[in-house]
Amino acid sequence: MEGSCKGILAVLVILAGLAASASSNQIIEGPKNATVLVGLEARFNCTISQGWKLIMWALNGTVVLSITPKEPIITNDRFTSASYEEDGNFISEMIIHDVQFSDAGHIKCSLQSSDHDGSAFLSVQVVGKLFIPSSGLEVTEDKPCNVTCQAAGWTPPPDLSWKIGAPVSHSSYFSIPEPGDPQSAVSVLSLTPQGNGTLTCVASMKGLLVQKSLTVNLTVVPLPSGSQPGTSLPTWAIVLLAVSLSLLLILIIVLIIIFCCCCVSRREEKESSYHNEVRKSANARTNKEAFETKLKNGFKNYGYISDESRTAETGSPPPRSYEARVPQQRGISQPRQGPRDSQPGPASQPQVHFHTVSPRKVKNETLV
């Protein structure tokens, strides 16, 4: 009984010692965030107090490296370790060789039999390529031109800028992400060259002091003889000219329509005038024929009085006598008079009286 009791007490003492040693071990400082390029190395440090038994490194929840006081346990050649001591504390370093883009994620350092751990985040960036349409550019002197630089396959897309190694009178550029491709960007340089030189497109990674550049040669051709710089019209002038030409075309079409309408109206008036002339000519011809018929048949003399009518007037009272002034009447022909029996007057002053009778009217007809 006494031997068994001593054995139990010994086990309890050992467990208590292990528990005490484990509780005394802790992570003083965990790893820090890191950003690296694909293909390079990533290093993470974890500072632990003395007395630890097992250190474990995990990537995105998977243990990739284990370290014991005697030696590390390596399961993947890309994940190795190094150790240091500083101020009485133990520093464990995990090294990731040939970093892949898939390695991006959470890094965790933890101890066996401990709820405490240290974590960090690994960011992986990818350097892509730069493209300029031509390795040699040939442009006209003092004539504005554009040069395009494209960055493809970058993660994240880089910041693009330009270095101009040629004399220019004006230069500016802007950069935008490539539509539909989050790993690409485009930069457009606008300049007015005045001499030969070079143009360099520079891509800078965000968060890292990493740059990549591409240089092209710029060849400037003199202006043709007789031409002058600045003869090209600006955009607003071209737009204004196009609008003016459109309005002029519309005005010409309207004038043509009005001219056609006037021509049709005049034609209708001419046709109406022609019909009127034809109608007048027909009426004149009809009147002429009627007049010729009347000339052929003769005209009726409405001043003719038949003998019967004159005989009937004989019984009427004698007409008023006129003195010798009668022949002075205008437009009346001298009537034919005949003497009648008259009473003799006084012998000293004889008087002559004329009695006018109705003039004889003769019916005349003219035949042609």
Side-chain angles (χ1 to χ4, degrees):
M1 289 291 296
E2 291 180 1
S4 61
C5 289
K6 290 180 179 180
I8 293 173
L9 290 175
V11 171
L12 293 176
V13 170
I14 294 173
L15 292 176
L18 291 175
S21 62
S23 62
S24 63
N25 298 331
Q26 61 180 355
I27 297 176
I28 299 175
E29 184 179 2
K32 297 180 180 180
N33 297 336
T35 300
V36 297
L37 295 176
V38 170
L40 299 182
E41 289 183 353
R43 294 174 178 267
F44 296 93
N45 294 333
C46 186
T47 303
I48 307 169
S49 61
Q50 293 291 344
W52 57 274
K53 299 298 181 181
L54 181 65
I55 302 174
M56 294 177 293
W57 288 92
L59 174 61
N60 292 326
T62 301
V63 177
V64 294
L65 180 63
S66 299
I67 302 171
T68 64
K70 293 183 179 180
E71 59 182 0
I73 302 174
I74 299 174
T75 58
N76 190 326
D77 293 338
R78 290 199 308 115
F79 299 91
T80 61
S81 67
S83 58
Y84 314 95
E85 287 189 4
E86 183 178 343
D87 297 333
N89 296 320
F90 182 81
I91 299 175
S92 176
E93 181 180 36
M94 181 181 69
I95 306 171
I96 304 176
H97 303 273
D98 189 19
V99 174
Q100 304 297 319
F101 187 72
S102 58
D103 294 337
H106 292 279
I107 302 295
K108 185 173 69 171
C109 170
S110 61
L111 298 176
Q112 184 182 19
S113 303
S114 175
D115 296 333
H116 301 284
D117 58 28
S119 62
F121 190 85
L122 173 62
S123 298
V124 180
Q125 296 185 352
V126 180
V127 176
K129 298 181 179 180
L130 293 177
F131 300 95
I132 294 179
S134 177
S135 59
L137 301 176
E138 185 173 317
V139 296
T140 305
E141 183 181 1
D142 287 325
K143 184 176 182 180
C145 62
N146 295 330
V147 183
T148 303
C149 178
Q150 180 183 16
W154 294 68
T155 303
D159 294 329
L160 296 177
S161 60
W162 291 87
K163 292 181 180 180
I164 302 175
V168 297
S169 61
H170 169 75
S171 65
S172 63
Y173 71 91
F174 65 91
S175 302
I176 57 173
E178 184 75 17
D181 187 357
Q183 296 182 343
S184 301
V186 176
S187 180
V188 179
L189 171 66
S190 299
L191 73 160
T192 304
Q194 294 181 329
N196 298 333
T198 59
L199 300 176
T200 302
C201 178
V202 181
S204 302
M205 294 296 297
K206 298 176 181 178
L208 294 176
L209 299 178
V210 178
Q211 291 184 341
K212 190 173 183 178
S213 62
L214 179 63
T215 302
V216 295
N217 295 322
L218 180 66
T219 303
V220 178
V221 178
L223 286 171
S225 58
S227 61
Q228 297 181 355
T231 55
S232 59
L233 294 176
T235 304
W236 64 268
I238 296 175
V239 173
L240 181 61
L241 181 60
V243 173
S244 300
L245 291 177
S246 301
L247 294 177
L248 180 60
L249 180 60
I250 294 174
L251 180 60
I252 291 174
I253 294 175
V254 172
L255 291 178
I256 292 175
I257 294 174
I258 294 175
F259 177 76
C260 293
C261 293
C262 292
C263 290
V264 172
S265 177
R266 287 186 178 181
R267 184 177 301 175
E268 292 178 354
E269 290 179 359
K270 286 183 179 180
E271 290 179 357
S272 176
S273 177
Y274 173 75
H275 290 306
N276 291 336
E277 292 295 333
V278 171
R279 191 179 299 107
K280 289 180 180 179
S281 177
N283 293 336
R285 190 180 299 109
T286 303
N287 294 336
K288 184 178 180 181
E289 292 176 354
F291 181 73
E292 290 177 353
T293 303
K294 288 183 179 181
L295 290 178
K296 185 176 180 181
N297 297 333
F299 292 92
K300 184 176 180 180
N301 189 355
Y302 293 98
Y304 170 76
I305 300 176
S306 61
D307 295 339
E308 292 80 0
S309 299
R310 188 171 64 250
T311 304
E313 293 176 354
T314 306
S316 60
R320 183 180 178 182
S321 63
Y322 293 86
E323 295 181 357
R325 293 190 304 269
V326 172
Q328 295 180 359
Q329 291 182 356
R330 186 175 53 185
I332 301 176
S333 61
Q334 194 63 253
R336 197 165 129 186
Q337 299 176 355
R340 286 190 179 183
D341 296 337
S342 59
Q343 297 291 332
S348 63
Q349 191 175 2
Q351 295 182 354
V352 181
H353 297 273
F354 296 94
H355 299 277
T356 60
V357 295
S358 298
R360 183 184 299 274
K361 295 183 181 181
V362 183
K363 178 180 182 182
N364 294 325
E365 292 185 0
T366 305
L367 300 177
V368 180

